[in-house]
Amino acid sequence: MPPLAEITQLIVFGVLALAVVVGALGVVMLPNIVYAAFLLGGVFLSVAGLYLMLNASFIAAAQILIYVGAVNVLILFAIMLVNKKEAMGASPGVGLRRVLSTGVCIGLFALLLRVAFSTPWATPGPAAIGEDAVIRLGEHFFSDYLLPFELASVLLLMAMIGAIVLARRDVLATDIGTGESVDQGLIEKARTPLLMEKP
Amino acid sequence: MSTAFTLDLETGFRGLLEAGGVSPGLSRLIWLPLPMLLVLVAAVVGVLVTVWLERKISAAVQQRIGPEYAGALGILQPLADGLKLLVKEDIVPARADGLLFTLGPVLVVVPVILSWLIVPFGQNLLISNVGVGIFLWVALSSIQPIGLLMSGYSSNNKYSLLGGLRAAAQSISYEIPLALAVLAVVMMTNSLSTVDIVDQQTGAGILSWNIWRQPVGFLIFWICALAECERLPFDLPEAEEELVAGYQTEYAGMKFALFYLGSYINLVLSALLVAVLYLGGWGFPLPVETLAGWLSQPIDAPLVQVITGSVGIVMTVLKAYVLVFTAILLRWTVPRVRIDQLLDFGWKFLLPIALVNLLVTAALKLAFPAVFGG
């Protein structure tokens, strides 16, 4: 049984790692933004698979729920609502920008490699606690990680309020297109037929 | 709890093989695919039965007879449907995106089938008693909208794109109250595992089922499950009068069959999960231990074990199909809501109610730990 399990684990790890690397490269390099967004979902799924291999099944499920089910779906949703078919025009100095960004990325990669090879990793790590992980996570959230957890939620709340302020048009006094004054009441009443409003 | 149910097919099967001289590793390898195949077959047969029920019940609602000539009472009609879809020409529209067009239906079906992993038909009668159990289902069902968006986008058709967008919006909106309703049950159980959730409802038979302790949660879960399955009061993504057929407009043959199969598997799965979460899963309305006690039979005897196991499977499937019947009846008697009504209902009504339900459950759990799980 052990050899079977080990071989399976090795194959699965190879496939997942390949999917993450190739998928992530595709997200960055593909010119078609819709393909990039779908590949991003694939990368998130593969990362969830890696979590599963580390015996972190709760984290894996949470990764799928939040990153694939919410973040990626919303990204796709936004792309498809805009749905611009034409390719982006060539911005000035594209060649120089590409060279610069490649340089920065290779530098970062080299730095990460150096850290990965110079850190004395304690292998094998602590034994997996399996199904008790959910309980331990909960304990940490309500004790030593309480402040970061709450701060993250406050950050999300701020982002949400910001998005609502940007989306509600009554903050802008006049419509940019027509120059008429805009208020939220008119927008909300837009679903009643216009003909019936003037008696 | 009911540790008396120790009907364990895996040990029995592998014991049989190993007695025949097969190594433990090999016997495990032979055992592994069997439950998965069995559940896959069960899911497909469940779909065939549901399609037949849908045809017959819709006919009865509209005072027709329905399928009559394919087998007795038209029972072979779903098979004929499936065969027809199987041999139909598989068309990819010329201006569609072939790769995404093919991948879309697959992404819709695979998570639904994977979710059957956690449906228990008895104490040991499930593929895998995963610790994160019901959470895994919530997570997997959130992959589906990506497949719908993919097929809607790649069809290169306005109706398809609108259908895909509606499906995604609906799925995101109703996932939140759904998860909150599940969370209330999980809070009473102290576990995410589906087996533990059913175990916590055994003991006093029908009186200990979660539906009495979570009536609001039950309604929220059922409404959200119908919305996630895109069943009729909420079938906006494929509303025929508005969008032709939504995201599946351009699909034909086997790719359409995948959507069809996926939606019915999802319906049966949702009904099974309602049975597991709120209706006591495999539990008989009277505790089986009490019945065995009245008949003065030892609960551990092999024959009694087989009988209780069979009763468990029958009870789970029966409860699920009563719910499927309700869903079908709803589909053929209730008018469709508008998309803005649907989103309003999800965000402005169900979500606050689900939050209140969660808080009330937490308060009751603190006040009456004996009844609401300590």
Side-chain angles (χ1 to χ4, degrees):
Chain A
M1 196 169 81
L4 180 74
E6 267 171 30
I7 293 170
T8 322
Q9 217 167 6
L10 200 66
I11 294 173
V12 172
F13 176 74
V15 171
L16 285 177
L18 197 72
V20 170
V21 172
V22 173
L25 284 178
V27 172
V28 184
M29 307 239 180
L30 281 181
N32 186 338
I33 190 167
V34 176
Y35 278 179
F38 279 127
L39 269 180
L40 187 64
V43 171
F44 286 149
L45 274 180
S46 314
V47 172
L50 286 178
Y51 287 144
L52 210 57
M53 286 190 64
L54 292 168
N55 275 328
S57 49
F58 183 79
I59 308 283
Q63 161 93 7
I64 293 178
L65 181 66
I66 293 166
Y67 282 96
V68 183
V71 173
N72 198 41
V73 168
L74 284 177
I75 289 176
L76 282 167
F77 203 77
I79 291 173
M80 286 181 188
L81 272 183
V82 178
N83 199 25
K84 273 182 119 175
K85 279 284 163 63
E86 71 265 35
M88 262 183 268
S91 35
V94 151
L96 182 67
R97 290 184 190 192
R98 283 199 178 141
V99 170
L100 278 179
S101 58
T102 313
V104 170
C105 290
I106 289 177
L108 264 177
F109 186 61
L111 199 66
L112 280 174
L113 273 186
R114 163 128 180 73
V115 171
F117 282 117
S118 62
T119 310
W121 300 106
T123 48
I129 49 173
E131 308 296 4
D132 289 338
V134 185
I135 300 166
R136 289 281 288 278
L137 275 175
E139 279 170 0
H140 280 301
F141 272 148
F142 284 100
S143 55
D144 45 348
Y145 283 93
L146 183 63
L147 188 64
F149 183 61
E150 293 297 326
L151 277 183
S153 61
V154 170
L155 186 72
L156 285 177
L157 185 68
M158 280 159 60
M160 199 164 74
I161 294 173
I164 291 172
V165 168
L166 286 179
R168 275 182 73 109
R169 278 187 258 166
D170 57 351
V171 182
L172 301 172
T174 53
D175 191 306
I176 302 167
T178 58
E180 288 169 1
S181 65
V182 175
D183 71 317
Q184 193 67 24
L186 277 179
I187 298 166
E188 277 169 5
K189 260 182 264 162
R191 73 174 62 152
T192 55
L194 287 171
L195 284 177
M196 291 170 65
E197 277 189 359
K198 292 162 195 161
Chain B
M1 274 274 187
S2 55
T3 41
F5 289 101
T6 42
L7 187 66
D8 194 342
L9 294 179
E10 180 177 358
T11 356
F13 180 81
R14 287 180 60 188
L16 207 66
L17 278 185
E18 279 158 34
V22 181
S23 75
L26 194 61
S27 80
R28 185 175 160 77
L29 197 63
I30 297 175
W31 166 257
L32 272 179
L34 286 183
M36 302 180 202
L37 271 179
L38 193 66
V39 164
L40 197 61
V41 170
V44 173
V45 171
V47 169
L48 292 181
V49 174
T50 313
V51 171
W52 178 75
L53 278 178
E54 179 112 73
R55 285 175 172 279
K56 275 309 213 189
I57 295 170
S58 69
V61 167
Q62 299 168 342
Q63 303 194 333
R64 294 182 286 117
I65 297 174
E68 188 67 12
Y69 295 108
L73 291 174
I75 203 149
L76 294 179
Q77 190 66 42
L79 276 180
D81 286 353
L83 206 64
K84 181 201 80 175
L85 287 173
L86 200 65
V87 295
K88 243 176 140 175
E89 187 187 355
D90 188 22
I91 300 169
V92 178
R95 302 285 300 274
D97 188 323
L99 182 67
L100 295 184
F101 192 77
T102 315
L103 205 58
V106 176
L107 263 184
V108 172
V109 173
V110 168
V112 182
I113 293 179
L114 264 184
S115 305
W116 280 71
L117 196 70
I118 56 145
V119 179
F121 293 93
Q123 187 74 32
N124 285 310
L125 295 174
L126 78 169
I127 300 184
S128 166
N129 185 6
V130 201
V132 291
I134 198 77
F135 188 56
L136 184 73
W137 170 66
V138 175
L140 281 175
S141 69
S142 72
I143 300 181
Q144 226 186 355
I146 291 199
L148 300 178
L149 277 175
M150 199 181 265
S151 41
Y153 168 79
S154 62
S155 299
N156 203 1
N157 173 326
K158 287 191 181 70
Y159 295 122
S160 296
L161 184 63
L162 276 177
L165 286 177
R166 277 188 180 188
Q170 176 171 338
S171 172
I172 299 176
S173 313
Y174 280 77
E175 212 161 71
I176 302 168
L178 183 89
L180 287 176
V182 171
L183 195 57
V185 171
V186 167
M187 201 153 65
M188 295 197 326
T189 315
N190 297 322
S191 166
L192 288 163
S193 147
T194 41
V195 173
D196 290 351
I197 289 174
V198 177
D199 271 345
Q200 169 256 2
Q201 302 176 59
T202 52
I206 193 169
L207 288 178
S208 56
W209 291 358
N210 271 341
I211 185 169
W212 310 121
R213 287 176 283 180
Q214 286 285 331
V216 181
F218 170 73
L219 284 178
I220 295 171
F221 188 91
W222 183 233
I223 292 172
C224 293
L226 284 183
E228 294 267 317
C229 295
E230 290 153 17
R231 294 290 299 183
L232 194 86
F234 311 110
D235 74 335
L236 274 303
E238 46 200 282
E240 291 88 354
E241 293 85 351
E242 305 162 30
L243 292 180
V244 190
Y247 53 81
Q248 34 186 305
T249 306
E250 301 286 351
Y251 282 88
M254 212 45 216
K255 291 192 187 108
F256 174 76
L258 283 183
F259 279 130
Y260 197 71
L261 200 66
S263 78
Y264 277 103
I265 294 185
N266 206 0
L267 176 66
V268 178
L269 176 76
S270 303
L272 278 170
L273 282 171
V274 174
V276 164
L277 286 173
Y278 295 99
L279 300 177
W282 63 80
F284 196 67
L286 280 172
V288 197
E289 289 85 346
T290 322
L291 276 181
W294 286 347
L295 300 173
S296 60
Q297 296 290 327
I299 192 77
D300 295 328
L303 184 65
V304 179
Q305 287 277 314
V306 169
I307 291 174
T308 51
S310 318
V311 167
I313 297 176
V314 170
M315 284 318 290
T316 317
V317 174
L318 186 72
K319 286 167 189 169
Y321 269 92
V322 169
L323 290 162
V324 168
F325 174 75
T326 324
I328 293 174
L329 211 56
L330 274 176
R331 170 170 177 183
W332 294 98
T333 46
V334 178
R336 176 184 301 134
V337 296
R338 282 199 322 259
I339 183 78
D340 61 319
Q341 291 172 332
L342 174 95
L343 294 180
D344 271 3
F345 184 67
W347 286 104
K348 296 184 187 164
F349 184 75
L350 278 185
L351 183 59
I353 297 267
L355 273 174
V356 169
N357 180 48
L358 185 66
L359 288 179
V360 168
T361 310
L364 285 173
K365 179 176 163 143
L366 287 179
F368 308 104
V371 186
F372 285 87

